[in-house]
Structure formats: C-alpha cells, structure tokens
Amino acid sequence: MRFRRRKPRPFVRPAVPVAEEIVVRPVARRRGIYLLPNLFTMAALFAGFFAIVQAMNQRFEAAAIAIFVAMVLDGMDGRVARLTNTQSAFGEQLDSLSDMTSFGVAPALVMYEWVLSGLGRWGWAGAFVYCACAAARLARFNANLGVVDKRFFQGLPSPAAAALVAGFVWLAIDNKFHIKDAAMPWVAFGFTVYAGLTMVSSAPFYSGKSFQVARSVPFWVMVAIIVLIFVISSDPPIALFTLFCCYAVSGYVYWAWRWFRGEPNPARPVPPEPGAR
C-alpha cells in the first residue's frame, strides 16, 4: 500500500485586522485677525485717547475735533469690513471697546475738565451719568437679540451723542454762544445729561444702514452731498453742532408722530415667536 506524499504548503501569516475607519486629525488652522477694518478701529480708539490727553492739557478745541475724527473713523471700519467681507467676532468686540473709550469716556472727561468741574459734585455726577448711559447703551446694543427694524437705532447712537457734547464744547470755545459765564456750566450740564439719557431711551433714530456706497443713487443725492460739504466747511462748529442737534431731537419727533398715528415704535425689539428659528 503506497501513501502519497503531500506537498508542503507555503506558510501564510494570519491577516492582521484593519480598522474600518482611519481617523485623520484635522490640520491645525492658524488663527488671525483681519488687518484693514481693525486698523480703522484702532485709529478711532487713538483719536478718543488723544482727546482725553488734550483735555488734560487744557486744549479743549483739539479734544473736541479729535472726537469728531473718531466718529468718522468709527463709521468707516464697519463699512470697510462689509465691503471687503472681513467681519469677525474679534472686530465686533474691539469696536465696542473703542466706542466706549472714544464716545463714552472721552466726551465725559472733556466736558468735566472744561466746565463741569466748577459745579462740584453736580459736575462729576453729570459726567458720570453720560458715561454710564454710554456703557448701558452699548451693552444693550450688543445683547439685543430681538427682531429690530434695521433702519433705526434704539436710542441715540453713542457717536452722535459724543458729537453733540463735543460740538457744544467746540462752539462755546469758538465764542459762538451768547451765554453768560455763570449760566454756561448749567447749560453744559443739561446738554450732557440729555445726551446720556437719550442714548438709553427707546426713541427711534434713523441709522442710515440702508444707504450703501456701492449702490447707484440719483443725481440729486450727489448734489446734496456737495452742498452739505460746503455748508460744513464754511463754519464747522456751527454746522456740525446744528446738524447733530437736529438729529438728537429727530428721534423724539418721529416717535411722537408714530404714537399720534397709533403705529408701534420701530426701534423697540420684538421677541421672536416660540419655536421660531
């Protein structure tokens, strides 16, 4: 009886189980900030700081002009960010802190150093009311999660309030006010408190956000801008102070007109409906 010899089989190593899914770690992305809009914000912050320094050196006209420069720069950073699509959460927080310095602390200190210090505790109380209202207005603007008409601000914007206070200082120093020296501190006190309380009011003030630079406009708009530039350049203290006085009253006038017609306040936030996204 013969037996067949079996051929040796090649040795095969057992297969190692392979993971079904290979976890790939995402490449760490470098974080950064957008330079162009934040440069305008930092320039506005510097203008506000410069106004405080000039007020400490008794140069109140330069301090008032610096606040107006900060207002122009603050209006440009947001538009530059939207035009270049470089909005960021960092830029929003930096803008709020810059606004608090340039339009909250700086106008209050300039007004106090100029004339309110002569009123004693009434003077620093009026300056503090303005500063505290500016902080509350900015906090309410950042935390406002309701549905608001984008065409209007709820309360006087802090740059306009700062321009109202700075315009008063500039116009008084330029000797365009026929007010007795004894009454000047109390008139300044009234303007400061009015600007502060108007910031935290619910009066609707036109925001101008619907006006876009890239959109075509009628020809008369260009003519109106040229006339406005001519009027402001002819006598900046009177023109700017008159312009912002009219704006600071316009919210209450429009609010009263809508109340007379039985229409709701467009600047008051409406809470979203339950379940709405």
Side-chain angles (χ1 to χ4, degrees), residues 48-272:
F49 179 78
F50 182 79
I52 296 174
V53 173
Q54 295 305 307
M56 295 171 61
N57 294 328
Q58 306 297 312
R59 298 181 59 187
F60 300 108
E61 185 175 2
I65 295 174
I67 292 176
F68 278 102
V69 172
M71 183 189 65
V72 174
L73 294 172
D74 179 74
M76 294 177 63
D77 60 356
R79 295 188 178 276
V80 169
R82 286 189 291 271
L83 288 175
T84 57
N85 195 21
T86 54
Q87 302 98 325
S88 64
F90 175 84
E92 294 177 359
Q93 299 301 323
L94 181 63
D95 183 70
S96 296
L97 295 174
S98 174
D99 289 352
M100 184 58 205
T101 303
S102 301
F103 310 129
V105 178
L109 289 178
V110 170
M111 184 64 82
Y112 178 79
E113 288 288 335
W114 174 56
V115 73
L116 290 184
S117 58
L119 296 179
R121 63 181 61 184
W122 284 98
W124 64 256
F128 175 74
V129 166
Y130 176 90
C131 187
C133 289
R137 194 249 183 266
L138 291 170
R140 183 180 65 178
F141 179 80
N142 293 335
N144 197 348
L145 301 178
V147 180
V148 185
D149 193 338
K150 299 300 182 182
R151 297 175 301 168
F152 298 95
F153 287 119
Q154 186 183 12
L156 184 66
S158 56
L164 184 65
V165 174
F168 182 87
V169 175
W170 192 5
L171 194 61
I173 293 176
D174 208 33
N175 296 323
K176 299 294 178 61
F177 268 143
H178 299 287
I179 302 176
K180 296 181 180 179
D181 294 339
M184 180 63 75
W186 292 107
V187 176
F189 175 85
F191 264 95
T192 305
V193 174
Y194 174 82
L197 296 180
T198 305
M199 280 191 286
V200 295
S201 68
S202 297
F205 289 88
Y206 183 69
S207 65
K209 292 182 178 180
S210 58
F211 179 78
Q212 298 182 4
V213 180
R215 185 180 299 177
S216 61
V217 295
F219 180 75
W220 66 267
V221 176
M222 182 62 66
V223 176
I225 293 175
I226 295 174
V227 173
L228 182 63
I229 293 175
F230 171 75
V231 171
I232 294 177
S233 61
S234 61
D235 198 337
I238 293 180
L240 291 174
F241 182 72
T242 304
L243 177 65
F244 283 101
C245 278
C246 295
Y247 182 72
V249 177
S250 64
Y252 292 110
V253 174
Y254 184 67
W255 193 10
W257 179 69
R258 290 185 67 94
W259 177 83
F260 179 77
R261 297 184 57 182
E263 298 177 355
N265 184 2
R268 185 177 294 276
V270 180

